[in-house]
Amino acid sequence: MAEKAFLGSLMKAEYLLPDPVIHPEQLESTRHKELMRKLCLPQQHTCYLN
């Protein structure tokens, strides 16, 4: 539940995405890891929401 709340907060406050303190590898749920990777693409140094 905490991961879901964290990701929801990132999506609502997208200005936090470029420099997240928590990285996808630190999340427990595979679904949440994939979502965070899609939200913030480190190879492009850009974060976005579709």
Side-chain angles (χ1 to χ4, degrees), residues 13-41:
E14 51 187 282
Y15 64 89
L16 297 171
L17 284 170
D19 191 28
V21 175
I22 296 177
H23 300 282
E25 305 80 38
Q26 295 171 294
L27 299 176
E28 190 172 319
S29 168
T30 303
R31 174 187 268 171
H32 295 153
K33 287 179 188 181
E34 290 175 14
L35 176 60
M36 189 154 177
R37 282 188 189 107
K38 289 178 181 178
L39 289 174
C40 187
L41 299 173

